[in-house]
Amino acid sequence: MSRIVAVAPVLPEHAYSQATVAAHIAPLLSPDPARQAVITRLSAASGVDTRHFALPLEEYAGLRSFGQANDLFITLGLDLAEEAVRQALKAAALGPDDIDLIMFTSITGISAPSLDALLVGRVGLRPDVKRIPVFGLGCVAGAAGLARLHDHLAGHPSDVALLVSVELCSLTLQRDDGTLANAVSCALFGDGATAVVVAGDERATDAALAGPTIQATRSWLFPDTENVLGWDVVDTGFRIVLAPTLPRLVESALGPAVESFLGSQGLAVADVAAWLAHSGGPRILDAVASSIGLPPDALDLSRRALARTGNLSSSGVLHVLADALAGAEHPPPPRGSPVVLLALGPGVSTELLLLRWEALT
């Protein structure tokens, strides 16, 4: 089985309280004081205390075009990606030349060449490194990226792979859009990045490479949900599609998918020692817990991550994973116990991973 040997979460330096963010962003969404008050109330009820942003808050008023925002995504996103990769390689005690495959994912910016290609020279990866840039998976991409690396490493067990997630959600800000969906988006999403090093089965036997192993994965696409979650690509960039029916969909549909996945591995929900869920928002986390039948505190690690950073899209579940590996969950899962990592994204889709737990230290 492939092994997760390092997880390096990083955040931009500009950190603000939720109240401060709302005071700056609400006037950019609507000139109407009543609508601004609604936006402020949504922010206060979001479960978020603090968020980090790629730019100082006062500079978002000057963002006027998709091109301008996307140029910033490339410049600032590359810096964050480099920082995350260097931290992950150091934590794994590996060098850039040890990496055989790099997968890069983001839903908040685009470039050609993609950021993974730009990282090769910046970090010193080998020129023959395999590259897989991914766009469009959204919040599910952190979990899906780990799953697809696991698939690759099953056929290349001596390889070491690198997953890099960069999400600068703040740069997708849609000015003069006071709709409920945009207001919720502006209340939830923050900026961040993560790099994860995963070793194939033959490399994972190295005594120096500790960490949880990926035992099995499952992808699931819920039918007739393509208009529930995603982007509309418009002249001003990425405009959120976020149907109010999403929590109900999760509550009704996720549980059977999880039970089917666990059943295929000879397990039941009660056998799982810990649940690492993407920190998608309080209503989504409530729906996840309800659908699976989890106790009230089962997703506390995800709720704490949401409060500390907001929803980081594809990086969100990877930050939760990093917290669990750092011992932020008390008590941590017992060594060798089954742990489920899961995320949801556009489609609507879910990605489920069964991990056999082992701490990194």
Side-chain angles (χ1 to χ4, degrees):
M1 297 293 108
S2 56
R3 185 182 297 275
I4 299 169
V5 299
V7 183
V10 298
L11 296 165
E13 62 177 315
H14 308 291
Y16 302 96
S17 71
Q18 187 73 333
T20 301
V21 174
H24 277 78
I25 298 301
L28 301 182
L29 303 188
S30 174
D32 180 9
R35 195 60 183 170
Q36 291 178 20
V38 171
I39 294 166
T40 300
R41 287 196 298 271
L42 284 171
S43 294
S46 65
V48 179
D49 296 333
T50 308
R51 283 184 284 169
H52 292 248
F53 290 92
L55 299 173
L57 269 181
E58 58 270 16
E59 294 187 17
Y60 286 90
L63 290 182
R64 292 290 180 179
S65 73
F66 179 32
Q68 180 188 12
N70 198 69
D71 285 347
L72 288 167
F73 169 84
I74 296 169
T75 301
L76 302 177
L78 183 59
D79 289 343
L80 271 186
E82 179 183 1
E83 180 183 354
V85 169
R86 291 191 184 280
Q87 288 188 19
L89 291 174
K90 181 178 180 180
L94 296 171
D97 56 340
D98 289 308
I99 301 301
D100 302 290
L101 170 73
I102 178 171
M103 176 179 286
F104 172 76
T105 185
S106 182
I107 193 69
T108 54
I110 55 175
S111 67
S114 49
L115 290 197
D116 49 285
L118 301 178
L119 277 171
V120 172
R122 289 275 291 258
V123 178
L125 301 174
R126 300 196 318 259
D128 67 340
V129 67
K130 301 179 181 73
R131 298 186 297 108
I132 305 176
V134 176
F135 178 88
L137 286 175
C139 297
V140 82
L146 290 177
R148 300 295 78 78
L149 292 190
H150 175 68
D151 293 342
H152 169 84
L153 293 168
H156 301 81
S158 63
D159 279 6
V160 177
L162 180 66
L163 173 64
V164 181
S165 160
V166 175
E167 301 291 8
L168 302 187
C169 304
S170 67
L171 297 178
T172 69
L173 175 71
Q174 294 296 297
R175 296 279 300 271
D176 304 316
D177 181 354
T179 61
L180 181 60
N182 195 47
V184 170
S185 175
C186 289
L188 279 176
F189 286 94
D191 297 347
T194 320
V196 185
V197 180
V198 186
D201 196 37
E202 292 179 6
R203 289 295 296 270
T205 58
D206 185 336
L209 299 180
T213 55
I214 301 175
Q215 302 289 303
T217 71
R218 173 74 62 86
S219 302
W220 200 273
L221 186 64
F222 301 110
D224 303 318
T225 59
E226 60 271 15
N227 296 319
V228 174
L229 179 65
W231 290 134
D232 280 335
V233 182
V234 297
D235 289 346
T236 53
F238 302 126
R239 185 172 62 197
I240 190 76
V241 174
L242 183 60
T245 56
L246 179 59
R248 293 198 299 274
L249 168 67
V250 172
E251 188 169 10
S252 64
L254 181 62
V258 171
E259 291 170 4
S260 171
F261 171 56
L262 291 175
S264 72
Q265 303 301 311
L267 297 170
V269 169
D271 298 319
V272 177
W275 299 83
L276 309 180
H278 167 64
S279 45
R283 293 185 64 196
I284 295 301
L285 290 173
D286 288 346
V288 168
S290 175
S291 185
I292 302 173
L294 301 180
D297 61 349
L299 300 182
D300 279 358
L301 200 64
S302 300
R303 296 183 194 279
R304 291 197 292 270
L306 176 68
R308 188 177 65 251
T309 66
N311 183 340
L312 299 180
S313 191
S314 68
S315 269
V317 74
L318 303 178
H319 277 239
V320 174
L321 173 62
D323 286 347
L325 289 168
E329 182 170 343
H330 302 287
R335 182 176 182 180
S337 62
V339 170
V340 170
L341 182 146
L342 67 92
L344 295 146
V348 171
S349 62
T350 187
E351 198 79 30
L352 308 168
L353 286 83
L354 178 64
L355 309 180
R356 183 180 182 273
W357 195 255
E358 181 180 327
L360 292 176
T361 55

